[in-house]
Amino acid sequence: MRELWGALVILIVCPFLGALPVIAWITYALKKRRLAQIGTRNISVSAAFYHGGTIAGILAVVSEALKGVAAIYLARAFFPEGSFWELLSLIALVLGRYFMGRGAGTTNVVWGLLVHDPLLTIFVSLLAIISFTLLQSRNVVKYGVLFVFPLFVVLLHAEDFPKIISAVALAGLLWWIYKKIPDDLDLSSQEVDAESQGVFEYLQGNDVILSLDDELDPAIVGHKAATLSQIKRWGYQVPKGWVLTPGDDPEKLLEFLQPSELSPLVVRSSAIGEDSEQASAAGQYLTVIQVASYQQLQQAITEVRESYNYSPAVQYRRDRGLPDTAMSVLIQQQVQSAYSGVAFSRDPITQQGDAVIIEALPGSPTQVVSGKVTPEQYRAFVLEADNLSSVKLEGTGRVPQALIKQVAYLARRLEKRYLGVPQDIEWSYDGQTLWLLQARPITTLLPIWTRKIAAEVIPGVVHPLTWSINRPLTCGVWGDIFTIVLGDRSTGLDFTETATLHYSRAYFNASLLGEIFLRMGLPPESLEFLTRGAKISKPPLQSTLQNLPGLLKLLKQELNLEKDFKQDYQKVFIPGLSQLANVSLEEQEIGELLAGIDFNLELMRRGTYYSILAPLSAAIRQGVFRVKDEQIDNSVTPEVAALRSLRALAVDAKQILPECEPEQVFDTLAQVPGGEKILYEFNELLEDYGYLSDVGTNIAVPTWKEDPQPIKQLFVQLIQLSEPEKAELEAKKVVAPKRKRGTVQRRVDIKGRVTELYSRLLAELRWRFVALEKILLKSGVLKEAGDIFFLELDELRDLLADTNDELRVSLNELIKFRRSQFHQDSQIEQVPLVVYGNIPPHPSETTDVYSDQILQGIAASHGQAEGRIKVVRNLQNLPDIDKDTILVVPYTDSGWAPLLVRAGGLVAEAGGRLSHGAIVAREYGIPAVMDVKGATWILQDGQRVRIDGSRGIVELSNDLRPE
């Protein structure tokens, strides 16, 4: 039992001991410098020497030595002296030091090992000192010791297998950490604290020459060099290179490099801030090629450094509000180019589509970027599915097509590596190898806006009034959730930029969400994983641990979701809805209507919290417990509940009306025995679900209570369903294990109740604006029904308060302009799924190249179906369809239900497994594939296809083409 307690104490206390930032406290106390915010941001002994001076460094050594010694004696309190548990205690200490204390733990290990095995440690240390004196290479000594230490343990303790494994694990852990964090000894010796400069320069050894093989910090060497070093370490072909940081004496590098006519060098700028997401600085600084001698290299380094202060470069920084920092110099082996060029992973001109834009010429890359020669231009389309990968090209020239395809793959792979940020790359081919010379973000294509999730939450075109209400509510709640996790780390994030409108459609800020999730320690694709079941990468452990307190707070809110919602539902929402519903809007004055709107918005602010957290909670639990979509009952969701009730009523009506013309159903029911009961129940259902509309999130769309035609049409279509089809609807569902299903089902039920609540609040809000509009129409302030929805909420308040003379004068023109813009946007049949930049151009009419056979989407409703395509872009003219029809739609909401109940299958451009269309499709046993990019214009009416809702595949048939 003593050993068990000892193990627990070691595993808990040692990481905590390693995490204590004693070095940071010492340095701040002596020099008022925060190590976490300067240099490499490491909390290490070398950082203390560098930024705090000799005294801070010595105290740092003492503090870390005491930690290592304390870990050994802690192990000895429970286990025999010299046992492998002493090494395990050091491993635990180092883990805490790295993941929470931001240091490598070298000093901890050295002094801990000195207590653990003095003779072995002294011998290894003497060997390291002699090696460093002779070789003057930190890296050789550092990694050599990590090899020699476990080797000696094997030789001296061959019989103690646990100790050998522990020694290998400790050495391997340090090796891994050294590869993960930058070394403070790589910092410029010119900026080191004067007290410790001499020692620091000696310890740097020959490693003062930084190369692209090292892990480089962009804050020290600039983004260009740091990016190339990262790409090189990823395994891409980058020419050998060396870096001079600002203030470095180039003499050692000049002596080391031997340029010649046969082996020339290129000297390039790598300014701090150059090639970043904030600014590219393309062409602002000097590059010198064909450097073939010592004198030329010396002069080129001087000229590149001086180019930082060229007047155009200075003006460039001023124009973009960039600070004056410093210039690093990158020196690389020059590629003897057969072909060269540049490539953009996305089109920077059209700002849409999937084309990789490539410009190329035989010879040197400088002529391509110089602007003096017109290069050959190519458009490449990279097609990648699970087991399919190909490139299609547009354009021909002297450059081999196989090389252009290879460049296209390279550009797209780098974009994926950089989390979807479009990349501008410079490349060169020497006849054997495709070399990557540069990669930087295409700054004009940032931020990146995505429709993927927004199309589910806010489908279709959005009116100004709806957006002016929805945007602050949604952005505000997301901001609150993110702030809970991030705390102080949320500083500098503008949550109001979470969403915007392009083409009168909602888009989410993928760039901002990616940054937020990275700060939270989560992968940037986390939101897509939670809402749509997308693949997710491994989260960075260090950042996750840093955000653990905030994530635990968020977890607590998720665990309390059901209890909190039930409490608010009884004490806040039910009384609030009763207060809103039990008034006659026709009798209210403007002030009373505004008060009702404000009260409604207060309820919606709290409701928005639940409308975001409940679906995410359901998705998380479904993913964790692996409960399949078809095992979940969505009957609490109001659209599904309404459909089930309507379906049951249609079965009764079918018995009374075995044969009847669709246009005469309601008239005939009023005349036949039992028909009045059916009509009474239909009106009751309409009363119960009258708050729903074709687009539930858009208050500009009439509710079923105002316009019952959609639900009447659905009722008629359900009556027309044949008996076998009705039997299919009652098919048994696969049952998941009760405990797992129950855990998920409770969250799905909460989600359904939240949807009902929010839909009721939206309906009450709409009815108040409609009542307000009637007053404004009667007084002549507004001219046409629906005008009110083309005003923003603040504009409407100013108008009613008569505080904005300019608005009142220009009101009619403003509404006319917005109506026209809204109408134009509504006519756009294909809006881009992803938009780059804040001012996107009008959607291109040209289509990109896609696979001729298979389209990939999200598997949303199981089953297979074959039929002919019917593309339906809006609900204005509903076509006649049957089970041979595969519906292709831009998105789905409750208004699409009349079509879905009769279709053989569904393909949607937007949406995921939790969207309206997916839920309704599963309810009716219709195979469905969601998120099929460009489906409404790739697929054509009459085209024969096969869809697989289990795999998310749409397969175009070879034998049958559009009729």
Side-chain angles (χ1 to χ4, degrees):
M1 194 65 182
R2 177 182 176 84
E3 288 80 4
L4 178 60
W5 279 109
L8 289 173
V9 169
I10 288 171
L11 294 176
I12 294 172
V13 174
C14 286
F16 176 76
L17 185 63
L20 287 177
V22 179
I23 295 176
W25 297 339
I26 291 170
T27 307
Y28 184 75
L30 293 176
K31 290 295 178 82
K32 302 300 180 185
R33 307 191 78 180
R34 299 185 184 275
L35 294 182
Q37 299 175 3
I38 54 179
T40 62
R41 297 176 176 84
N42 289 342
I43 313 297
S44 64
V45 169
S46 52
F49 272 108
Y50 189 92
H51 299 290
T54 304
I55 296 176
I58 292 172
L59 292 176
V61 170
V62 172
S63 68
E64 295 308 298
L66 290 175
K67 285 184 182 182
V69 172
I72 298 299
Y73 279 106
L74 182 65
R76 289 182 180 179
F78 296 94
F79 299 98
E81 181 177 337
S83 73
F84 73 92
W85 278 101
E86 294 179 5
L87 296 180
L88 290 181
S89 71
L90 291 178
I91 291 174
L93 183 73
V94 171
L95 286 171
R97 186 84 179 83
Y98 173 69
F99 286 113
M100 292 177 282
R102 300 177 70 173
T106 305
T107 308
N108 307 125
V109 172
V110 169
W111 287 88
L113 290 176
L114 186 61
V115 175
H116 168 71
D117 194 333
L119 291 177
L120 174 62
T121 306
I122 292 171
F123 181 76
V124 172
S125 299
L126 286 173
L127 183 64
I129 293 170
I130 294 169
S131 300
F132 183 75
T133 303
L134 295 175
L135 301 175
Q136 280 288 293
S137 174
R138 279 195 335 272
N139 280 335
V140 171
V141 174
K142 184 165 60 175
Y143 292 109
V145 166
L146 294 181
F147 174 77
V148 169
F149 162 64
L151 179 63
F152 281 1
V153 171
V154 171
L155 294 175
L156 297 175
H157 304 282
E159 75 292 344
D160 194 342
F161 186 70
K163 178 175 283 192
I164 294 172
I165 294 298
S166 301
V168 171
L170 179 59
L173 175 61
L174 288 172
W175 190 301
W176 179 78
I177 290 174
Y178 291 157
K179 290 291 186 181
K180 297 293 289 185
I181 65 174
D183 192 339
D184 292 274
L185 290 173
D186 289 334
L187 295 170
S188 171
S189 60
Q190 303 297 316
E191 299 176 23
V192 69
D193 189 279
E195 297 177 4
S196 49
Q197 188 164 7
V199 174
F200 205 85
E201 289 181 349
Y202 173 77
L203 291 175
Q204 282 185 322
N206 285 335
D207 285 349
V208 71
I209 300 177
L210 298 179
S211 80
L212 293 183
D213 294 319
D214 299 320
E215 185 170 354
L216 303 178
D217 186 346
I220 298 172
V221 303
H223 281 82
K224 180 185 292 181
T227 299
L228 286 175
S229 75
Q230 182 180 55
I231 292 171
K232 197 171 192 296
R233 285 181 285 106
W234 283 342
Y236 293 93
Q237 295 296 327
V238 176
K240 286 185 179 180
W242 302 267
V243 183
L244 285 171
T245 60
D248 275 355
D249 185 348
E251 193 59 36
K252 275 188 178 177
L253 187 57
L254 287 167
E255 293 173 0
F256 175 75
L257 298 174
Q258 299 292 326
S260 67
E261 294 291 342
L262 296 176
S263 182
L265 301 173
V266 56
V267 181
R268 313 171 66 189
S269 65
S270 184
I272 313 301
E274 180 184 2
D275 289 350
S276 67
E277 290 192 6
Q278 287 69 44
S280 67
Q284 299 302 315
Y285 307 116
L286 187 64
T287 295
V288 182
I289 63 172
Q290 288 297 132
V291 177
S293 69
Y294 177 96
Q295 291 76 17
Q296 289 179 1
L297 179 57
Q298 189 175 42
Q299 183 178 352
I301 291 171
T302 302
E303 289 176 353
V304 169
R305 280 178 165 171
E306 288 176 350
S307 71
Y308 189 78
N309 295 314
Y310 286 176
S311 56
V314 173
Q315 190 62 47
Y316 176 89
R317 295 195 295 271
R318 288 175 181 170
D319 291 343
R320 284 152 184 79
L322 302 174
D324 287 326
T325 50
M327 171 74 82
S328 289
V329 178
L330 171 62
I331 303 157
Q332 288 182 276
Q333 289 183 339
Q334 185 165 315
V335 176
Q336 301 304 309
S337 306
Y339 302 97
S340 301
V342 295
F344 301 93
S345 64
R346 302 286 163 172
D347 192 333
I349 306 303
T350 65
Q351 297 181 233
Q352 55 191 280
D354 279 337
V356 178
I357 308 301
I358 301 169
E359 295 184 346
L361 274 178
S364 167
T366 55
Q367 59 182 337
V368 179
V369 299
S370 68
K372 297 177 181 178
V373 181
T374 302
E376 298 171 1
Q377 297 193 8
Y378 302 86
R379 288 167 60 85
F381 302 91
V382 180
L383 310 172
E384 292 183 290
D386 291 340
N387 298 310
L388 177 67
S389 185
S390 64
V391 175
K392 294 193 176 184
L393 284 182
E394 291 179 2
T396 58
R398 291 171 290 171
V399 182
Q401 289 205 349
L403 176 59
I404 296 297
K405 289 182 179 182
Q406 194 177 350
V407 171
Y409 273 124
L410 176 62
R412 193 52 57 83
R413 285 197 298 268
L414 279 175
E415 180 184 275
K416 286 185 178 180
R417 276 283 194 171
Y418 284 107
L419 308 174
V421 175
Q423 296 293 307
D424 165 6
I425 71 170
E426 186 178 322
W427 57 272
S428 190
Y429 179 68
D430 62 5
Q432 291 184 328
T433 303
L434 175 60
W435 296 97
L436 185 61
L437 307 181
Q438 185 168 309
R440 61 188 174 203
I442 305 177
T443 53
T444 58
L445 297 186
L446 297 175
I448 303 171
W449 301 94
T450 177
R451 275 283 286 161
K452 280 190 176 180
I453 304 162
E456 269 185 61
V457 181
I458 314 170
V461 286
V462 182
H463 292 73
L465 182 60
T466 300
W467 187 245
S468 69
I469 292 169
N470 187 289
R471 183 173 183 261
L473 287 174
T474 303
C475 294
V477 170
W478 274 118
D480 292 342
I481 292 173
F482 294 141
T483 302
I484 288 172
V485 178
L486 292 171
D488 293 341
R489 286 184 295 279
S490 64
T491 303
L493 295 174
D494 187 356
F495 297 116
T496 63
E497 296 298 318
T498 305
T500 194
L501 284 186
H502 293 304
Y503 319 116
S504 296
R505 273 89 166 178
Y507 284 80
F508 283 166
N509 190 333
S511 303
L512 177 60
L513 291 174
E515 172 64 22
I516 290 170
F517 283 125
L518 284 175
R519 291 196 189 188
M520 289 171 65
L522 301 173
E525 66 272 22
S526 295
L527 187 59
E528 276 195 62
F529 164 73
L530 294 175
T531 57
R532 304 170 62 253
K535 292 181 180 179
I536 192 167
S537 61
K538 185 179 178 181
L541 182 59
Q542 183 176 2
S543 184
T544 303
L545 289 173
Q546 289 175 350
N547 289 285
L548 193 57
L551 290 170
L552 290 175
K553 289 180 184 177
L554 191 59
L555 175 62
K556 182 180 178 182
Q557 288 190 285
E558 192 279 334
L559 294 173
N560 292 333
L561 178 65
E562 186 173 2
K563 181 189 71 174
D564 291 344
F565 177 72
K566 286 181 178 178
Q567 182 175 323
D568 281 348
Y569 191 78
Q570 293 296 327
K571 295 183 178 180
V572 178
F573 295 125
I574 291 297
L577 277 171
S578 298
Q579 181 178 330
L580 291 170
N582 294 327
V583 294
S584 175
L585 299 180
E586 291 77 9
E587 299 175 2
Q588 287 197 328
E589 300 293 333
I590 288 177
E592 294 172 303
L593 289 171
L594 282 176
I597 288 170
D598 289 337
F599 178 68
N600 194 316
L601 290 175
E602 283 299 319
L603 293 176
M604 287 181 65
R605 283 187 182 90
R606 185 61 179 164
T608 301
Y609 165 79
Y610 291 112
S611 73
I612 289 176
L613 195 58
L616 295 184
S617 172
I620 291 170
R621 292 187 175 220
Q622 186 178 352
V624 169
F625 293 107
R626 300 190 178 184
V627 176
K628 297 180 179 179
D629 296 325
E630 62 269 22
Q631 297 168 345
I632 293 174
D633 180 7
N634 288 286
S635 59
V636 177
T637 303
E639 292 93 336
V640 174
L643 287 174
R644 287 191 177 183
S645 299
L646 201 63
R647 185 176 66 194
L649 192 59
V651 171
D652 295 339
K654 180 77 172 181
Q655 295 175 352
I656 299 173
L657 300 175
E659 296 293 337
C660 183
E661 292 296 321
E663 298 80 9
Q664 300 174 1
V665 166
F666 282 90
D667 292 337
T668 306
L669 281 174
Q671 299 170 7
V672 300
E676 288 189 5
K677 181 175 181 293
I678 298 292
L679 289 177
Y680 173 79
E681 291 180 0
F682 177 85
N683 289 328
E684 285 290 302
L685 187 148
L686 186 60
E687 184 68 26
D688 289 340
Y689 297 103
Y691 59 87
L692 295 174
S693 72
D694 290 352
V695 185
T697 53
N698 191 349
I699 60 172
V701 177
T703 60
W704 288 352
K705 179 180 178 180
E706 299 166 80
D707 179 15
Q709 190 57 35
I711 196 170
K712 284 185 176 182
Q713 185 178 15
L714 176 58
F715 180 58
V716 171
Q717 293 205 357
L718 286 170
I719 292 175
Q720 292 177 298
L721 284 176
S722 63
E723 291 301 322
E725 287 171 321
K726 283 186 289 189
E728 287 178 18
L729 302 181
E730 303 299 334
K732 257 191 169 182
K733 294 185 176 181
V734 181
V735 178
K738 185 175 181 181
R739 181 184 62 82
K740 293 183 178 180
R741 192 177 72 252
T743 301
V744 177
Q745 187 63 54
R746 284 199 302 274
R747 280 298 183 268
V748 173
D749 290 345
I750 291 293
K751 175 193 166 190
R753 291 175 63 189
V754 169
T755 302
E756 177 192 358
L757 166 70
Y758 208 75
S759 299
R760 288 184 182 277
L761 288 171
L762 284 169
E764 291 290 346
L765 189 64
R766 169 183 162 77
W767 295 333
R768 276 160 176 76
F769 281 119
V770 170
L772 197 56
E773 184 181 57
K774 289 178 180 178
I775 296 174
L776 296 176
L777 287 170
K778 189 175 182 180
S779 64
V781 175
L782 298 180
K783 304 299 182 185
E784 185 181 342
D787 278 355
I788 197 169
F789 297 107
F790 291 95
L791 292 173
E792 296 180 358
L793 183 58
D794 288 342
E795 292 172 341
L796 182 60
R797 293 188 192 279
D798 289 345
L799 187 65
L800 296 173
D802 201 16
T803 57
N804 191 332
D805 294 336
E806 184 179 345
L807 175 63
R808 184 172 285 274
V809 170
S810 62
L811 181 64
N812 291 331
E813 287 299 317
L814 177 65
I815 293 175
K816 183 179 178 181
F817 171 78
R818 288 179 178 172
R819 271 189 180 275
S820 174
Q821 187 64 52
F822 185 83
H823 177 73
Q824 290 179 33
D825 290 342
S826 301
Q827 300 306 307
I828 299 175
E829 294 182 345
Q830 179 63 33
V831 297
L833 186 66
V834 177
V835 165
Y836 298 96
N838 286 315
I839 309 176
H842 191 277
S844 172
E845 297 299 327
T846 60
T847 63
D848 288 344
V849 180
Y850 287 85
S851 170
D852 293 332
Q853 298 300 320
I854 295 176
L855 302 178
Q856 179 74 50
I858 292 175
S861 180
H862 293 300
Q864 294 79 37
E866 183 174 340
R868 294 196 180 277
I869 291 295
K870 185 62 183 177
V871 178
V872 183
R873 294 189 173 90
N874 56 60
L875 293 171
Q876 294 173 359
N877 298 304
L878 299 181
D880 293 328
I881 60 174
D882 54 29
K883 286 296 179 182
D884 189 51
T885 303
I886 304 298
L887 272 180
V888 181
V889 300
Y891 64 90
T892 57
D893 209 322
S894 51
W896 297 90
L899 291 179
L900 299 185
V901 296
R902 303 198 69 184
L906 171 68
V907 177
E909 288 184 326
R913 297 181 300 107
L914 304 180
S915 62
H916 290 276
I919 292 173
V920 172
R922 290 194 293 271
E923 177 73 11
Y924 285 91
I926 301 167
V929 182
M930 316 298 287
D931 195 39
V932 179
K933 187 177 181 183
T936 60
W937 48 287
I938 296 173
L939 300 172
Q940 304 172 42
D941 284 349
Q943 193 170 21
R944 194 84 180 172
V945 299
R946 301 177 184 90
I947 70 170
D948 188 334
S950 305
R951 295 189 299 154
I953 295 294
V954 180
E955 184 179 0
L956 282 65
S957 176
N958 283 323
D959 53 338
L960 292 172
R961 293 299 173 188
E963 295 180 338

